[in-house]
Each structure stands twice: as C-alpha cells, then as structure tokens.
Amino acid sequence: MSNFITGLKASGNGMLVRISIIAAIGGLLFGFDTGVISGALLYLKKDLNANSTAQEWIVSVLLLGAILGAIGSGYLADKLSRKWTKVISGCIYVVGALGCAFAVSIPMLIGFRFLLGLSVGTASFVAPLYIAEVSPPRVRGGLVSFNQLLITSGILLAYLVNFAFSSTPDGWRWMLGVGVIPGAALAIGMLTVPHTPRWLMEQGREDEARAVLTKLRGSDPHADIDKEIEEIQKAKEMESSSRVRDLLKPNIRPLIWIGAGLAIFQQFVGINTVIYYAPTILKGTGLTNSASIAQTVFVGVTNVVFTIVAVLLLDKVGRRRLLLIGTVGLTVAIIFLGVFFASSWLQTNASYLALVALIVYIAAFAVGLGPVFWLMISEIYPTGIRSKAMSFATVLNWAANFVVAGTFLTLIALISTQGAFFVFGGMGILAIVFFAWKVPETKDKSLEQIQQELLGGDAKVSAALKSGSDE
Ligand code: BGC
C-alpha cells in the first residue's frame, strides 16, 4: 500500500487531513481563477465592449497582482503568521470575486481582477508553507500536494462552472462570482486551524507549539514531540535573524537557485499554454468547437487524476525520481506535438495523436513538475527564511507564467506552432539536466534534517545563517 495512506492511518487522527485540506483551498482559488477567465471572457467582452487590448489586461492583470501578492506576503507570513495571512487572502478573494461579478466597466473589472491576483499570489505559496510546517515527514509529500490537487480541481471546476453558466443571461457574472464560495471557505476555515508549530517557535511560544504538535501527532506511534521541539529549537538557534538579504548568503544561495530553477522551468515547459490554449491546439487538428471543448475537459480530468497518483507516490517513490520521470515524459510529448504539427501526413491520417500527446504531457506534468515545485520550495529552506525564500520562488513562477502566457501567440506567429512546441521541448531538456544535477531528495526527512543536510552539518548551518557578511 502507498506509504502515504499507511502513514495517515498510523497517525490515527483526522485533524491533520482536515487542516491540510482547509489550507489547500488556497490552491483551489488559484486553479479556479486560472480556468474561469477564458470562458467568462467570451461573454463579457460583448457586454462590456472590451477590445483585444482590454481583454489582455483583464486576463493578465491577475498575474501582475499575483506577483505583488507573493512579494508582500513573504513578510506577512512571518509577521502576522501563516494562518492570519491565509484568512486575509480568503477575505480579499471574496471582495475581488464580488467586485468582478458586479463590474459595470472595464477599469472596474481590471481593478478587482488585480485584487484577486493579490489574493491568489499569496494563497499560492502560503498553502504549501502552512501544510509543510504541520506535517510529519512520512506523509508530508502527499499532504503538501493536496495544494496541487486543489489547483487542478479548481481548473476543472472552472471548466464545469463555465459550461453550467454558458447559456445563463449575464452568465459571466456568475462564472466570476462563484469564486466567493471557495474564498469564504478559505477565510472561515482558516479561523478554525492552529498556528504552525514552527511559526510559534520562531515567536518564542514553545508551550503553544508543543500543545499544537501534541494534537497534530495524535496517536502516531512514530511521533516524538520532545524530539521534534528540540530539532526545531536547535534549527532556530542556528539562525540569527530573517532578512531578505539573508537569501544572498553563500550557503543559502544554492538553495535559492534550486527554487528559482524549479519555478522558471515549471512555466517554461509551456504548461499554461496547454491549459489556456488546449481548445485552440485541438481545433488546429481539425476538430469542431464543441468537440475541442469536450476534449479540453478530458485534459482537465487527466490533470486531477494524475495529481492524485502523485499524492500517493511522492512519499514512496520520492520527489526527485517522480520529477525526473515526469519531466522526461512531458518533454517527449511536447516534442512529439511539434512533430505532429510539422507533419501534414500525421494531421490527416492520425489526428487523434494530438490528443494523445496532450494527455501524456499533462499526465507527466501532474505526476512530477506540477506538485514537486511547490513541495520542494516548502521543504528545502531553513525555517527562519522559509517564507521569504518561498515568496521569492513564487514571484519568479508567476513572472515566468506572465512571460509565457503573454508571448505564446507572438511566438506562434514568429516561428509557427511546431516551432513554439520545439522551444518548450528544448526547455524540457534543459530542465532535465538542471534537475538531475541540482535537485536533492527530501522524502522521509524532517524539515530540520533537510536543513542540516543541504547546508552541510551543524557548524556550517550555523555559520551560514549567522554570518552577517555575504562572504
Ligand atoms: C502551476 C500552474 C499551473 C498548474 C496546472 C501549477 O503547479 O504552478 O501555473 O496552471 O500547475 O496544473
């Protein structure tokens, strides 16, 4: 049986699963927004008279908001706590979704989409951060990846919501307004969860940290609360302060590179062009409008199903292996898609192969790079700088998303569809080399053990985190 299921059963306590799901609603907001706008846009552009520049702004301003949200919330997650940052993010989402649903002009819609972006950018990394800090090592991979599971479920939910309201008058207002429900669920749900033990220890609130850990570990026979507290304490003593410039310290820098590489390659292999443009890609193979939309739902389902596979396997097979297998798979698939579009013979005689390639691509992403990026950045950094370093990696991820989404159509115009897919394939090859060379295995280790191993033993950790200089 999967280590994840056995591990959860051993913990004998539903609290961990409950709070991980609540925290992962942050992922649902993220995914819902990614999926809903393309459908809503079809209708709102007529009602609000949006020309193509206005439409581009309506879509992409969310990514700009997300970049800013991710920057600001690294600080908030330390100062206010992970928990309260997520409550605020849920509230902002509710206001944003309502504002979009009732928007009477393009500037108003753009303004509220920006607000949604602030919330999504925050939720996108504080969710994995929170879950990693409450999870025991044996099931951390699966639990943190609930976040990715809810991202993919959010994308699928959005396709279904778009479909449900496609013939309702003012349907786009409903499509955007439905976001109020997960937003409120996040804000209210987060009020019921505890602070993370690691954040409490950073605040010097050891008694509370111990009480939370005791509840979280339930009757888990592998749990040793004293040892966990001692490890967190030891790791904390090695850190002096947590400032943004700490990210540049020589021992920390390699970890920042790993997070940056994962963040950028996750987007540069073209995932969101497939998510945003799947119907267009499929239509290019000669399908009708409705057939290509139906097949897009199939792509969405594959994304969810293979993320479940990842949740079950990450704690058994390991992060690194799944990352490498997945990235090889998606690279082969996208290069094949390039070959497909270059060959008129394949297009006429075997058009179903485009769908097969898209499905393989999505499945391979869902099993590796999708969840592993968010998981790794929640694991590899020391507690004192975790939220700032994660916020940095998240900013890069949103910025790379913005660049790819904003240039895809131009890229196709410049070098053709197949050319664009070959570029993504080339990125995939670079990604495989980088991951094989740099990305460590973190399965089964406590966050503090990972910190020790990556920074090279107590003395070096201490020196790395305490030294004021950048030497
Ligand atoms: C990525 C998103 C992407 C989603 C697709 C996430 O891990 O960060 O940009 O849309 O996966 O499943």
Side-chain angles (χ1 to χ4, degrees):
M1 201 198 285
S2 147
N3 287 16
F4 180 63
I5 306 276
T6 342
L8 277 187
K9 282 201 173 143
S11 78
N13 147 7
M15 179 180 181
L16 194 59
V17 176
R18 182 178 66 83
I19 65 176
S20 302
I21 293 176
I22 293 176
I25 297 175
L28 190 79
L29 304 184
F30 172 177
F32 183 75
D33 245 291
T34 304
V36 84
I37 192 62
S38 52
L41 204 59
L42 292 177
Y43 304 92
L44 70 85
K45 67 181 177 198
K46 279 186 231 134
D47 281 7
L48 295 183
N49 255 333
N51 61 18
S52 58
T53 316
Q55 289 177 44
E56 269 170 22
W57 270 102
I58 292 167
V59 174
S60 57
V61 75
L62 182 125
L63 299 176
L64 287 181
I67 294 173
L68 280 185
I71 294 175
S73 49
Y75 175 81
L76 279 188
D78 281 343
K79 277 280 164 236
L80 274 186
S81 78
R82 288 51 170 141
K83 169 177 164 151
W84 284 107
T85 307
K86 284 180 68 66
V87 173
I88 295 175
S89 151
C91 294
I92 296 181
Y93 198 88
V94 170
V95 176
L98 281 176
C100 289
F102 289 104
V104 290
S105 66
I106 293 170
M108 182 172 169
L109 184 59
I110 292 179
F112 281 107
R113 292 268 305 156
F114 179 76
L115 206 62
L116 281 182
L118 290 179
S119 161
V120 170
T122 303
S124 61
F125 85 91
V126 189
L129 167 63
Y130 180 90
I131 304 173
E133 289 192 344
V134 295
S135 304
R138 283 206 308 158
V139 289
R140 193 180 52 238
L143 286 177
V144 173
S145 301
F146 276 9
N147 178 56
Q148 177 72 12
L149 184 57
L150 288 200
I151 296 178
T152 55
S153 309
I155 296 175
L156 185 60
L157 179 73
Y159 291 158
L160 299 177
V161 166
N162 285 351
F163 181 69
F165 290 109
S166 58
S167 37
T168 313
D170 273 346
W172 65 270
R173 297 190 183 275
W174 288 100
M175 294 172 191
L176 299 177
V178 165
V180 166
I181 301 170
L186 178 66
I188 297 170
M190 285 307 294
L191 291 174
T192 70
V193 308
H195 286 299
T196 76
R198 284 166 177 91
W199 181 81
L200 286 168
M201 290 291 284
E202 286 289 317
Q203 306 302 307
R205 292 155 64 174
E206 183 179 330
D207 289 349
E208 285 171 74
R210 190 178 286 278
V212 171
L213 263 182
T214 310
K215 270 205 210 153
L216 285 173
R217 298 298 175 255
S219 54
D220 188 346
H222 295 88
D224 181 343
I225 309 285
D226 289 334
K227 187 163 160 253
E228 261 193 83
I229 291 282
E230 195 186 308
E231 273 189 2
I232 302 175
Q233 181 63 31
K234 208 164 115 199
K236 185 185 148 214
E237 276 161 14
M238 290 171 190
E239 300 161 3
S240 50
S241 61
S242 108
R243 288 157 309 176
V244 174
R245 65 191 286 255
D246 291 347
L247 304 185
L248 296 173
K249 286 180 175 169
N251 280 25
I252 302 291
R253 236 179 278 155
L255 304 183
I256 298 296
W257 278 115
I258 296 175
L262 282 160
I264 292 173
F265 282 125
Q266 199 210 35
Q267 297 298 328
F268 278 14
V269 296
I271 180 62
N272 284 309
T273 61
V274 171
I275 304 261
Y276 301 149
Y277 298 103
T280 318
I281 296 172
L282 288 166
K283 251 191 94 180
T285 69
L287 288 180
T288 61
N289 260 348
S290 57
S292 55
I293 288 178
Q295 295 199 353
T296 304
V297 172
F298 197 52
V299 170
V301 172
T302 308
N303 202 2
V304 175
V305 170
F306 279 85
T307 308
I308 297 177
V309 174
V311 165
L312 294 175
L313 291 185
L314 280 162
D315 292 304
K316 193 181 176 93
V317 177
R319 290 66 161 140
R320 196 181 138 83
R321 224 186 290 165
L322 281 177
L323 177 68
L324 289 171
I325 296 171
T327 313
V328 169
L330 72 85
T331 304
V332 171
I334 201 98
I335 292 177
F336 177 79
L337 213 50
V339 172
F340 177 90
F341 278 99
S343 152
S344 49
W345 188 88
L346 280 177
Q347 286 171 58
T348 348
N349 296 298
S351 65
Y352 65 91
L353 285 179
L355 179 64
V356 173
L358 275 185
I359 297 286
V360 172
Y361 174 88
I362 284 282
F365 178 87
V367 104
L369 193 46
V372 172
F373 159 62
W374 297 105
L375 175 57
M376 273 283 159
I377 62 167
S378 74
E379 296 185 322
I380 58 174
Y381 304 114
T383 302
I385 58 153
R386 185 172 302 123
S387 66
K388 293 198 176 67
M390 280 184 82
S391 118
F392 177 68
T394 306
V395 169
L396 288 182
N397 187 265
W398 283 105
N401 188 342
F402 183 69
V403 169
V404 177
T407 54
F408 181 56
L409 293 179
T410 319
L411 201 64
I412 288 187
L414 281 178
I415 57 171
S416 73
T417 310
Q418 58 266 35
F421 290 143
F422 289 139
V423 169
F424 295 144
M427 288 294 164
I429 294 172
L430 291 180
I432 296 165
V433 174
F434 178 83
F435 297 158
W437 178 37
K438 288 282 179 198
V439 173
E441 184 51 80
T442 48
K443 170 172 98 85
D444 284 338
K445 296 170 189 159
S446 73
L447 296 178
E448 289 67 31
Q449 273 167 330
I450 299 172
Q451 168 171 338
Q452 290 250 339
E453 283 175 21
L454 291 181
L455 297 181
D458 282 6
K460 282 196 186 156
V461 178
S462 185
L465 294 167
K466 279 207 159 125
S467 85
S469 84
D470 285 348
E471 289 318 302

